[in-house]
Amino acid sequence: MFEKAGLIPGLQAGPKPAGDSAPAAEPPKAKTAPGTMMGFLTAQSGAVQEAEALKARVKSLEEEAPLRKLDPSIIRPSKWANRHEASFLTAEFQQLKAEIAAAGGNVQPIKVRPVSVLNGSTRPVGPTFELIFGHRRHRACAQLGIPVLAAIEEASDVGLFEQMERENRGRKNLSAWEQGTMYRRALDEGLYSSLRRLAEGLGVDVSLVSKSVSLARLPEAVVAAFQSPLDIQFRWAAPLTEAMQKDPDGTLSRARAIAETRGDLGAATILSKLVGLPEPAPGQSASQALTISKAGKVAARLTADAKGRAVVRFEAGALPESKRKALVKVIEDFLKG
């Protein structure tokens, strides 16, 4: 009945194409109405299964899209995260958060990897992703209570570390101590067997890695002598390390005394006190720094380093990139006079 009505595809009788010497064998046709109905239902069941499989594949492709908006709470920081908490208290971070809020989200995506990379097929309890890079953008979105735009990528531990380091180095906004902390953790975790291997893997000078790690291995008391670890500079690695080697007890004692009484001492003066160098000349010391104000707030300080060189240090965000050339011109004109 169904066959005669032409309702079952492939079962209609018809002439064979001319010229076919070896026609393909046709499936046997049901000779009864119940058999025909069973064949029709079987075909329909296969079609439904195929449609469901296609639907699942589409969903999978959507989940594998290069960029997705994720809840920040399901993303955890990397164990090699190199941002000190002080980095999230600066005017620069507040400006970044304001820009993200104004745009309705982070325009430049962060990158994450699935946590399942770390523990096989077992689905983890808690965060589902781990940050590769973009810790400040992730923190800003978390504080704003908005989704964070993220690229999702499978990555090994070494791959994660090298991507994070390259991205941070490209931005050039990591402090020497933060950079060193990142390198130190990679070595302590056994990610690289030596300083040289680490430097080769990252494509950076081994002496830079050595200085960075030396700073990150300073005793906590020495680091705490400074207003912030972010104030410590690469070139101070040698004198600080030498001071700890020659006079560890004296250096630690001076560090604790400085931390208790430093007041508004500048980083260069603190360094001088720690390593026993002569204090900057009167009128040039960091404790007598000249302040530069903008709208009633300190925008910069004019101090002198341990060798008596004048240093103008701007607060984060106080000197936009667009105005730096103009500042250089003003200083050049001033020195001509």
Side-chain angles (χ1 to χ4, degrees), residues 70-78 112-119 122-131 138:
L70 302 174
D71 182 344
S73 67
I74 67 171
I75 303 171
R76 73 183 186 192
S78 165
V112 300
R113 71 172 176 177
V115 173
S116 57
V117 167
L118 304 178
N119 47 21
T122 303
R123 189 163 186 82
V125 176
T128 311
F129 299 98
E130 180 181 11
L131 273 163
H138 170 255

Side-chain angles (χ1 to χ4, degrees), residues 75-95:
I75 303 171
R76 73 183 186 192
S78 165
K79 61 181 174 180
W80 294 291
N82 45 22
R83 292 287 179 191
H84 189 268
E85 280 302 308
S87 296
F88 302 107
L89 302 174
T90 63
E92 183 181 7
F93 176 71
Q94 295 303 320
Q95 181 179 354

Side-chain angles (χ1 to χ4, degrees), residues 259-290:
E260 292 176 1
T261 62
R262 66 176 173 239
D264 196 31
L265 280 179
T269 298
I270 292 173
L271 172 69
S272 299
K273 288 179 175 292
L274 279 172
V275 302
L277 290 176
E279 293 288 327
Q284 290 185 317
S285 67
S287 59
Q288 298 176 358
L290 298 174

Side-chain angles (χ1 to χ4, degrees), residues 59-236:
K59 182 179 179 182
S60 174
L61 288 172
E62 288 176 349
E63 291 178 348
E64 295 171 2
L67 296 179
R68 288 173 57 191
K69 286 195 172 183
L70 302 174
D71 182 344
S73 67
I74 67 171
I75 303 171
R76 73 183 186 192
S78 165
K79 61 181 174 180
W80 294 291
N82 45 22
R83 292 287 179 191
H84 189 268
E85 280 302 308
S87 296
F88 302 107
L89 302 174
T90 63
E92 183 181 7
F93 176 71
Q94 295 303 320
Q95 181 179 354
L96 171 67
K97 191 164 76 168
E99 290 172 354
I100 289 176
N106 55 310
V107 177
Q108 184 172 8
I110 65 172
K111 184 176 281 190
V112 300
R113 71 172 176 177
V115 173
S116 57
V117 167
L118 304 178
N119 47 21
S121 59
T122 303
R123 189 163 186 82
V125 176
T128 311
F129 299 98
E130 180 181 11
L131 273 163
I132 295 178
F133 58 72
H135 287 76
R136 292 195 311 155
R137 281 164 279 166
H138 170 255
R139 178 73 69 91
C141 288
Q143 291 184 3
L144 291 168
I146 61 176
V148 59
L149 184 65
I152 302 172
E153 178 183 296
E154 301 282 349
S156 65
D157 283 356
V158 172
L160 183 154
F161 179 82
E162 293 182 353
Q163 285 193 60
M164 180 167 59
E165 197 278 339
R166 282 195 298 269
E167 202 265 354
N168 284 325
R169 184 151 39 93
R171 289 175 170 272
K172 298 180 181 179
N173 61 358
L174 273 185
S175 70
W177 189 84
E178 287 174 316
Q179 195 79 53
T181 299
M182 181 181 181
Y183 293 160
R184 186 204 68 204
R185 285 178 182 164
L187 292 168
D188 291 349
E189 291 282 341
L191 207 56
Y192 298 91
S193 59
S194 67
L195 283 171
R196 185 167 296 281
R197 292 285 188 186
L198 191 155
E200 290 172 355
L202 300 177
V204 297
D205 189 88
V206 69
S207 65
L208 175 65
V209 175
S210 179
K211 290 177 183 177
S212 303
V213 173
S214 295
L215 292 176
R217 293 201 187 283
L218 288 171
E220 185 178 340
V222 173
V223 175
F226 292 89
Q227 303 282 358
S228 166
L230 309 186
D231 293 336
I232 304 173
Q233 301 180 29
F234 283 112
R235 66 177 183 272
W236 296 350

Side-chain angles (χ1 to χ4, degrees), residues 42-58:
T42 300
Q44 288 295 94
S45 176
V48 169
Q49 290 177 0
E50 184 177 356
E52 290 297 323
L54 287 172
K55 189 184 297 182
R57 178 57 180 157
V58 169

